[in-house]
Amino acid sequence: MRAAATSTAISLLSPSHLRTSAAASLPYRRRPRIAAMAAAASSFRPEAARSPAAVEPPAPPLSKFKVALCQLSVTADKARNIARARAAIESAAADGAKLVLLPEIWNGPYSNDSFPEYAEDIEAGGDAAPSFSMMSDVARSLQITLVGGSISERSGNSLYNTCCVFGSDGKLKGKHRKVHLFDIDIPGKITFQESKTLTAGQDLTVVDTDVGRIGIGICYDIRFQELAMLYAARGAHLLCYPGAFNMTTGPLHWELLQRARAADNQLFVATCAPARDTGSSYVAWGHSTLVGPFGEVIATTEHDEATIIAEIDYSLIEQRRQFLPLRHQRRGDLYQLVDVQGSGSK
């Protein structure tokens, strides 16, 4: 049923169902009105709605490719988790995926007790970071771009929830430390406080890769639309959010937030969650998903271990932005989003 609904939604968004040019369909006598509307819009200073001014996405190395979302089951056995993740990545690459995503905290249990135990020293590498080393090696050997979900990272006296992005040469291209820590209290439902053990990251993360410009967030980061807006202003084609929403917030908000971030910013959003384990102290919702730039769900799954392989077509970004020219309609005379750390990818 979901697949049929998704197919219908995508077909309704095809060029045959949507006007690519409102002006072309209007009588000639009405076209000056459109020109006047455009002139009025320019007086609203849309370029000033972002500071620094938003940049266009660069021409991507690939305009169309396959992405894999590896929804992995996670146990207390770290070696088993690493081996299972590698096998999933290899299988996805064999099926043609050029970009592979892993879930949040995929190498051990999601708990404050476990974060210190499973933490890795990424800077040291080697035996001090077996999860990191595996991801680097498999990205190089398969020549893929890997958004490595997240693992607990130890740096000095601090622990971080960290996503590493690897290029097809196996080199670390970017490292995102979760900037919004998951501290919530819903009485009778769920209470969790990442800040008991983890430290918040201090940087936005936009990475230029072989599959385009990618903005990275982790789980709770998706709730903060400002982060996604800044990534879009920095020219991202795709936002990737490894995440482990729970059985309370997952049914309510997981898909809603993904579609909102995609529709608001008119770009692709990919999420990857761990599979559900009802025996775990923290039960994940699952439902890894790929969303297109009109907020349409392109592919998703339920809660079991699975790998989704779907196609990303970046030509849809500009097409959708022509349908709804939001970037030219913002009111820079009324509001402004400021990128404190400046423009460009980090």
Side-chain angles (χ1 to χ4, degrees):
M1 181 67 72
R2 180 56 180 274
T6 301
S7 177
T8 301
I10 292 174
S11 69
L12 290 173
L13 295 173
S14 67
S16 63
H17 289 276
L18 292 167
R19 296 177 181 174
T20 57
S21 173
S25 67
L26 292 174
Y28 181 82
R29 64 182 178 275
R30 292 186 59 190
R31 292 181 189 177
R33 291 178 59 188
I34 292 178
M37 291 168 62
S42 66
S43 70
F44 297 150
R45 302 177 60 231
E47 72 286 348
R50 301 288 183 267
S51 178
V55 300
E56 294 295 323
L62 291 176
S63 62
K64 187 183 294 186
F65 60 92
K66 289 183 179 180
V67 59
L69 314 176
C70 298
Q71 184 165 289
L72 303 173
S73 65
V74 179
T75 71
D77 185 338
K78 185 174 182 177
R80 175 264 186 203
N81 296 334
I82 294 173
R84 200 166 187 87
R86 181 170 194 133
I89 296 167
E90 290 173 341
S91 178
D95 287 336
K98 294 298 184 183
L99 170 65
V100 178
L101 275 67
L102 297 181
E104 181 184 24
I105 306 294
W106 59 264
N107 70 346
Y110 182 86
S111 73
N112 279 310
D113 290 339
S114 297
F115 294 150
E117 179 182 352
Y118 290 78
E120 300 190 2
D121 186 340
I122 290 172
E123 297 299 326
D127 292 340
S131 305
F132 176 88
S133 297
M134 180 279 288
M135 291 189 288
S136 173
D137 181 66
V138 76
R140 178 191 55 77
S141 63
L142 299 175
Q143 295 185 314
I144 60 168
T145 299
L146 177 61
V147 176
S150 77
I151 61 174
S152 179
E153 176 199 5
R154 186 182 301 279
S155 180
N157 295 322
S158 298
L159 294 175
Y160 299 93
N161 188 341
T162 300
C163 175
C164 296
V165 181
F166 300 89
S168 56
D169 56 2
K171 294 181 180 179
L172 181 67
K173 297 191 69 76
K175 184 173 72 171
H176 179 75
R177 290 168 168 170
K178 190 174 187 175
V179 295
H180 303 95
L181 295 184
F182 181 56
D183 287 6
I184 70 164
D185 181 15
I186 304 177
K189 296 291 185 179
I190 181 170
T191 298
F192 202 97
Q193 193 173 354
E194 276 188 329
S195 61
K196 284 184 176 180
T197 53
L198 300 179
T199 299
Q202 297 298 317
D203 295 299
L204 280 66
T205 308
V206 180
V207 185
D208 285 316
T209 75
D210 290 343
V211 292
R213 182 169 290 178
I214 302 175
I216 304 293
I218 299 175
C219 199
Y220 204 55
D221 285 338
I222 201 172
R223 290 191 176 275
F224 298 87
Q225 65 268 38
E226 298 90 345
L227 183 66
M229 292 162 68
L230 288 172
Y231 286 164
R234 291 187 181 192
H237 302 97
L238 166 68
L239 307 184
C240 291
Y241 294 96
F245 270 45
N246 54 73
M247 298 300 292
T248 299
T249 59
L252 289 170
H253 301 150
W254 181 233
E255 182 180 303
L256 172 70
L257 289 167
Q258 295 173 64
R259 297 183 68 187
R261 297 295 85 84
D264 285 350
N265 298 290
Q266 300 177 303
L267 40 63
F268 285 87
V269 170
T271 63
C272 192
R276 189 178 305 169
D277 177 4
T278 56
S280 174
S281 61
Y282 182 94
V283 182
W285 172 240
H287 294 261
S288 302
T289 302
L290 175 66
V291 181
F294 241 31
E296 72 276 25
V297 174
I298 295 173
T300 190
T301 189
E302 296 296 326
H303 60 267
D304 294 327
E305 186 171 63
T307 295
I308 303 169
I309 296 182
E311 184 176 79
I312 287 178
D313 182 353
Y314 285 147
S315 69
L316 294 178
I317 295 176
E318 183 56 30
Q319 183 190 75
R320 302 323 192 203
R321 291 179 179 183
Q322 288 178 2
F323 294 161
L324 292 175
L326 306 183
R327 57 189 165 177
H328 303 302
Q329 298 170 328
R330 295 191 176 101
R331 294 291 301 269
D333 59 327
L334 298 179
Y335 51 76
Q336 185 179 71
L337 179 71
V338 178
D339 187 340
V340 174
Q341 293 186 337
S343 63
S345 58
K346 291 184 71 64

